[in-house]
Amino acid sequence: MASCAPYVVHIRSLCVYSHYHSRFFIIVALSSYATYLLLKLQRQKQRQQAALAEREAIASAKRAQVLDDIRYIATAMIEDRCEISEGVVRIGRLFEILSLSERVAPEFPALFQHFELIKDHPIMEARQALPKQERMRLDLIRMKSEATLEQDISNDAKKLSAYQPKAMH
């Protein structure tokens, strides 16, 4: 039996070694999995940031295009290539698209005063479908407003032809 004793101690040390060894492998495996998940999360965040940056760039380009359209219409109004009311409605609608109407209305009061008056007037087929008396009534409202505000709308159009929006806070 004395000859078996060294083997028993050796087996026990193997069990202790194996126990610590398996703990080490579990810790390494869990650490590796955690690292994998962190890297996966980092890549996902990078993709989200890239997608957000792309959406912001597209929105900024569209906004710049709409502002260019506003300046173009204002210039056309100044050069009499666009009727006052048509230009006012187009510019007013474009500012609505940009959600800037309320913010810029104080800068261009005549334009927005006229816009508020005529924005709901029917156009094209809807206008043609109106009875003649109603069309004449709407035309009279529009023409009175144009006559009253013409010079101020022209001044607003001049300012708009070079308009650059102020930075939003």
Side-chain angles (χ1 to χ4, degrees):
M1 285 275 195
S3 62
C4 290
Y7 293 115
V8 172
V9 172
H10 185 63
I11 291 174
R12 283 187 184 157
S13 65
L14 279 177
C15 288
V16 170
Y17 173 75
S18 176
H19 182 68
Y20 287 115
H21 196 58
S22 64
R23 283 185 182 173
F24 174 75
F25 282 122
I26 290 171
I27 291 171
V28 168
L30 289 174
S31 297
S32 298
Y33 185 62
T35 302
Y36 165 77
L37 291 176
L38 286 172
L39 290 174
K40 185 176 178 179
L41 180 63
Q42 184 181 23
R43 285 191 300 269
Q44 182 181 9
K45 283 184 179 180
Q46 287 172 344
R47 284 192 303 270
Q48 287 173 341
Q49 287 174 343
L52 177 64
E54 183 179 352
R55 284 192 305 272
E56 288 174 350
I58 290 169
S60 179
K62 285 181 181 179
R63 177 182 168 89
Q65 180 59 50
V66 171
L67 289 170
D68 283 344
D69 292 346
I70 289 170
R71 288 187 286 270
Y72 179 82
I73 294 166
T75 301
M77 288 170 66
I78 295 165
E79 297 171 353
D80 291 326
R81 292 183 288 126
C82 179
E83 292 180 11
I84 290 173
S85 289
E86 181 181 353
V88 165
V89 168
R90 289 175 184 265
I91 289 171
R93 296 283 185 228
L94 290 173
F95 274 123
E96 284 178 346
I97 288 170
L98 295 175
S99 300
L100 290 176
S101 293
E102 291 179 14
R103 195 172 129 212
V104 300
E107 293 179 62
F108 312 104
L111 187 135
F112 279 95
Q113 181 181 345
H114 188 59
F115 177 67
E116 286 301 317
L117 185 70
I118 65 170
K119 71 179 180 181
D120 295 324
H121 286 200
I123 59 171
M124 299 182 4
E125 292 85 20
R127 177 179 162 72
Q128 292 302 319
L130 291 175
K132 187 175 182 179
Q133 292 269 339
E134 181 65 13
R135 282 197 313 264
M136 289 174 61
R137 186 184 71 76
L138 293 174
D139 286 345
L140 183 62
I141 292 170
R142 178 182 49 80
M143 288 188 292
K144 279 184 180 178
S145 179
E146 283 179 356
T148 305
L149 298 171
E150 183 175 12
Q151 187 57 50
D152 293 333
I153 291 173
S154 179
N155 291 339
D156 285 353
K158 287 175 186 166
K159 289 190 294 186
L160 274 170
S161 66
Y163 178 71
Q164 292 295 326
K166 296 175 184 134
M168 296 175 81
H169 300 286

